[in-house]
Amino acid sequence: TALITPCGRMSYAELAKRIDELARALVAAGVGKGSHVGLLLENRPDWVALAFATTGLGALFVPISTFSKVDDLAYQLRHADIEHLILSARFLKNDYLAMLKQIVPELDACTPGKIYSGALPALRSVVVCGAEEFPRGCSSFRGFEAARHEVPVEIVHVFRVDVDPEDDCYLLYTSGTTARPKDMLQVHDTVARN
């Protein structure tokens, strides 16, 4: 058993299949080696699968705390040069979609995959989980997942072969309770050895 959640268990084979599905969706969204992918999502199996899918493509995975407030979120997204963001619309008392709209008011005027914002110059795409309505410049998680059918699984394997142990893997931030969040960059080799 790879994952145990309140909703059930996921075998290693099921997790590997989900990682491949999400990797194909990421490639369809334009993610590749060196891309910066932010994830603001509560703990669930897709969080784990997205982490492996992102890093397996050679992209930098940037998990963002679900405790983030708007100032810290804006700082991390800009500091990390996030190009692709996957976020829950809401979790507990936090409305992340409202926070993002506050940071990037241009979301309503953009088209999916073509976000242009002075506040977050690197940001190009936003995928929203758990909302039926969202800004015009965002995509639904369902649509993001469906795009995987456009990408053959062999393409994912080509990306994976090109990943080097010294390639950047994770960019982690501290909570920032007393100052701005501090970042720590990890390479694949360091993550694998710990």
Side-chain angles (χ1 to χ4, degrees):
T1 304
L3 295 174
I4 301 169
T5 71
C7 300
R9 296 171 183 263
M10 183 179 268
S11 71
Y12 283 99
E14 291 168 329
L15 179 59
K17 179 181 177 203
R18 187 64 177 149
I19 291 166
D20 283 347
E21 290 171 353
L22 292 171
R24 289 167 62 202
L26 286 164
V27 170
V31 173
K33 186 171 183 171
S35 296
H36 292 202
V37 178
L39 183 67
L40 177 50
L41 193 68
E42 67 277 9
N43 294 336
R44 59 181 179 182
D46 273 349
W47 193 104
V48 175
L50 281 161
F52 280 110
T54 301
T55 58
L57 295 171
L60 180 66
F61 180 69
V62 185
I64 300 166
S65 171
T66 54
F67 294 110
S68 293
K69 300 300 179 205
V70 69
D71 290 341
D72 287 340
L73 178 59
Y75 175 78
Q76 290 174 63
L77 293 174
R78 185 171 178 111
H79 183 265
D81 290 324
I82 297 299
E83 300 162 78
H84 307 276
L85 176 63
I86 301 170
L87 81 156
S88 287
R90 287 165 205 79
F91 179 63
L92 299 176
K93 295 179 180 180
N94 295 312
D95 188 335
Y96 305 117
L97 192 52
M99 287 184 208
L100 186 63
K101 285 169 59 175
Q102 187 177 341
I103 300 164
V104 186
E106 302 92 342
L107 281 176
D108 282 318
C110 298
T111 57
K114 296 181 180 179
I115 297 169
Y116 300 102
S117 167
L120 301 176
L123 186 65
R124 291 295 169 267
S125 69
V126 175
V127 174
V128 180
C129 305
E132 295 300 318
E133 294 184 18
F134 42 82
R136 192 174 84 109
C138 300
S139 302
S140 70
F141 193 77
R142 186 177 299 121
F144 164 76
E145 285 183 291
R148 75 178 184 267
H149 298 295
E150 302 168 13
V151 178
V153 72
E154 294 79 20
I155 299 296
V156 170
H157 298 300
V158 171
F159 276 100
R160 288 179 179 155
V161 168
D162 197 35
V163 178
D164 185 84
E166 294 305 314
D167 286 342
D168 295 340
C169 181
Y170 289 107
L171 182 59
L172 306 171
Y173 284 91
T174 63
S175 62
T177 53
T178 58
R180 288 273 187 219
K182 305 288 186 285
D183 62 300
M184 180 179 66
L185 185 62
Q186 297 284 309
V187 298
H188 283 267
D189 184 54
T190 304
V191 172
R193 287 189 292 125
N194 283 317

